[in-house]
């Protein structure tokens, strides 16, 4: 067993004033109550809230305070994220840092998928965040909306990430959908997911910890919460080798795939349908976007299928023979053909009476007939 204790801190976040003092106080309390904690994760934008007007330069006093706290408690510290303005390009990024127990910032990560169109003024990062905890395992970091794009987790786990640290700020009605995505991500990529949301201006809570089988190890409610959880990295390695419950070996199956995905080649034309969806913008009142439009097959015509087409390589495209003509209806179908009965000349013709049907005996059957039909 390779145990490692990670604590999430779900706390109230103010939008118009600093939350740094409150974060450090809660960190002190956490370490008094649970001194065995080895890593601490706060929620997205916990330090200053969701307004980018409080953006700071890459080197600032707040980060120095967090570095000192990591040394004080000898823990790995990920203090959520904060808006950082790059002095070179002047753009603002939603940035998280990883601080080791020696107080060193070993990684910086800028959110790849800002929640557009609502975060239109936030630039997107392009670098992934992977780091090792010595003698423990490999960790990766993504922020909130990043997880809605499984490509981000695919990239991390393909580099060996075993624990996904995921600070979020969700105060909207899609939080339950995010929880479903967190569970699906854990089992799809055979990793732990540590998902920490805030409260107040920082979200509606419901933080969670999910193991590689999609089991929820902890689920917070809508109140402040500190939840240290000891995870087992050997469980990740075992599952990746033998499959979840001895079943799906997902990462190895992806590794051994027989196809690449043309949708990731922007010049392939596979994503033509996506280009018909209109601009990425906030809906307006009464909008009928997507309703008064053509169906998908009318927007992007399918290529003409023909013999020898390479639309689906590996499959032969055959022209199927036409169905035979429907047979004409038989005018005598269902009509009994009368049998001519020889009647002596001059004998009166009388109708054959219909015998009564006895219970349990089918019409036309003989009493001595033992056939089951």
């Amino acid at each position: 067993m390779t145990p490692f204790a990670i604590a999430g801190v779900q706390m109230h976040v103010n939008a118009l004033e600093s939350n740094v003092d409150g974060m450090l106080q809660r960190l002190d309390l956490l370490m008094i109550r649970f001194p065995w904690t080895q890593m601490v994760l706060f929620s997205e934008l916990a330090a200053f809230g969701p307004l980018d007007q409080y953006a700071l330069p890459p080197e600032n006093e707040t980060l120095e305070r967090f570095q000192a706290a990591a040394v004080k408690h000898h823990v790995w510290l990920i203090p959520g994220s904060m808006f950082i303005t790059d002095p070179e390009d002047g753009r603002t990024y939603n940035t998280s840092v990883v601080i080791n127990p020696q107080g060193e910032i070993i990684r910086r990560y800028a959110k790849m998928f800002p929640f557009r169109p609502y975060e239109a003024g936030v630039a997107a990062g392009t670098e992934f965040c992977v780091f090792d905890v010595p003698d423990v395992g490999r960790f990766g970091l993504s922020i909130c909306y990043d997880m809605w794009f499984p490509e981000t987790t695919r990239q991390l786990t393909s580099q060996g990430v075993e624990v996904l640290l995921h600070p979020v700020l969700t105060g909207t009605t899609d939080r339950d959908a995010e929880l479903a995505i967190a569970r699906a991500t854990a089992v799809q990529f055979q990793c732990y997911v540590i998902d920490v949301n805030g409260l107040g201006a920082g979200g509606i809570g419901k933080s969670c910890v999910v193991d590689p089988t999609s089991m929820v190890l902890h689920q917070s409610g809508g109140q402040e919460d500190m939840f240290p959880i000891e995870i087992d990295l050997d469980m990740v390695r075992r599952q990746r080798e033998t499959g979840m419950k001895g079943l799906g070996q997902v990462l190895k199956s992806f590794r051994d795939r027989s196809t690449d995905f043309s949708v990731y080649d922007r010049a392939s034309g596979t994503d033509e349908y996506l280009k018909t969806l209109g601009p990425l913008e906030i809906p307006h009142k009464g909008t009928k976007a997507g309703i008064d439009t053509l169906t998908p097959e009318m927007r992007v015509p399918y290529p003409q299928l023909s013999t020898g087409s390479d639309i689906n390589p590996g499959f032969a495209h055959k022209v199927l023979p036409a169905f035979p003509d429907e047979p004409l209806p038989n005018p005598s179908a269902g009509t009994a053909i009368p049998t001519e009965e020889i009647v002596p000349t001059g004998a009166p013709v009388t109708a054959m009476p219909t015998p009564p049907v006895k219970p349990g005996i089918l019409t036309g059957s003989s009493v001595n007939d033992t056939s089951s039909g």
Side-chain angles (χ1 to χ4, degrees):
M1 178 177 181
T2 305
F4 190 72
I6 305 176
V9 179
Q10 176 175 288
M11 60 171 278
H12 185 87
V13 174
N14 295 300
L16 299 177
E17 59 186 65
S18 171
N19 301 285
V20 176
D21 287 342
M23 294 172 69
L24 296 175
Q25 290 172 1
R26 286 166 177 80
L27 178 59
D28 288 342
L29 178 59
L30 169 71
M31 298 309 299
I32 291 173
R33 296 180 62 194
F34 310 109
W36 42 272
T37 300
Q38 295 165 278
M39 177 181 284
V40 181
L41 174 64
F42 285 85
S43 62
E44 178 187 14
L45 300 175
F48 297 99
L51 304 180
D52 60 6
Q53 68 190 53
Y54 297 108
L56 297 174
E59 306 301 328
N60 57 73
E61 180 185 355
T62 296
L63 289 179
E64 293 174 358
R65 295 182 68 186
F66 286 135
Q67 290 175 268
V71 173
K72 174 183 176 181
H73 297 293
H74 197 67
V75 294
W76 291 81
L77 179 60
I78 298 91
S81 67
M82 64 183 70
F83 287 119
I84 298 292
T85 299
D86 189 321
E88 295 184 2
D89 62 21
R91 295 191 294 177
T92 298
Y93 297 84
N94 186 343
T95 305
S96 184
V97 299
V98 179
I99 306 172
N100 68 15
Q102 291 72 46
E104 301 165 331
I105 296 178
I106 64 165
R107 293 289 185 277
R108 293 174 184 259
Y109 173 69
K111 185 177 181 179
M112 285 190 170
F113 286 92
F115 189 44
R116 294 173 179 163
Y118 295 92
E119 292 179 346
V122 181
T126 58
E127 301 293 328
F128 288 90
C129 180
V130 177
F131 65 96
D132 291 330
V133 173
D135 302 320
V136 177
R138 180 158 289 185
F139 291 67
L141 180 64
S142 67
I143 299 176
C144 202
Y145 201 39
D146 288 339
M147 189 183 284
W148 286 70
F149 303 87
E151 295 83 356
T152 59
T153 311
R154 174 74 70 196
Q155 180 86 8
L156 294 171
T157 53
S158 293
Q159 296 180 62
V161 164
E162 299 166 309
V163 181
L164 181 63
L165 305 170
H166 189 236
V168 305
L169 190 167
T170 301
T172 46
T173 55
D174 57 350
R175 180 56 181 157
D176 286 340
E178 284 188 341
L179 296 177
I181 293 172
R183 293 189 63 190
T185 296
V187 73
Q188 260 187 299
F189 299 103
Q190 299 176 309
C191 65
Y192 281 96
V193 173
I194 317 297
D195 181 281
V196 181
N197 197 14
L199 297 169
I204 57 174
K206 298 183 182 180
S207 301
C208 67
V209 178
V210 188
D211 80 2
T213 70
S214 82
M215 179 179 292
V216 178
L217 303 180
H218 176 76
Q219 173 76 70
S220 299
Q223 67 286 331
E224 294 220 359
D225 193 13
M226 299 178 184
F227 46 96
I229 299 288
E230 186 177 79
I231 63 174
D232 178 13
L233 277 296
D234 280 353
M235 178 185 182
V236 177
R237 294 152 198 163
R238 173 70 173 171
Q239 178 167 316
R240 289 180 174 181
E241 281 295 326
T242 64
M244 196 272 284
K245 300 182 178 179
L247 301 171
Q249 300 176 30
V250 187
L251 267 62
K252 288 192 284 185
S253 293
F254 180 77
R255 177 199 65 194
D256 298 343
R257 67 192 183 277
S258 58
T259 183
D260 287 321
F261 302 99
S262 60
V263 70
Y264 296 116
D265 178 3
R266 294 176 187 258
S268 70
T270 307
D271 63 348
E272 286 301 308
Y273 164 70
L274 299 181
K275 299 175 183 178
T276 71
L277 295 180
L280 182 59
E281 60 186 9
I282 297 176
H284 59 78
K285 293 180 181 178
T287 179
K288 292 186 178 181
I291 297 177
D292 298 331
T293 58
L294 298 174
T295 58
E297 61 269 22
M298 295 299 292
R299 297 185 194 180
V300 184
Y302 290 102
Q304 181 67 36
L305 294 178
S306 61
T307 304
S309 170
D310 61 354
I311 295 170
N312 291 312
F315 292 88
H317 298 286
K318 299 180 180 179
V319 178
L320 298 177
F323 287 105
D325 293 335
E326 186 74 17
L328 295 175
N330 185 351
S332 63
T335 304
I337 301 175
T339 303
E340 294 185 0
E341 185 176 356
I342 301 175
V343 181
T345 305
V349 179
T350 58
M352 180 68 72
T354 301
V357 178
K358 296 182 181 180
I361 300 178
L362 297 177
T363 304
S365 66
S366 170
V367 175
N368 296 323
D369 188 359
T370 59
S371 172
S372 61

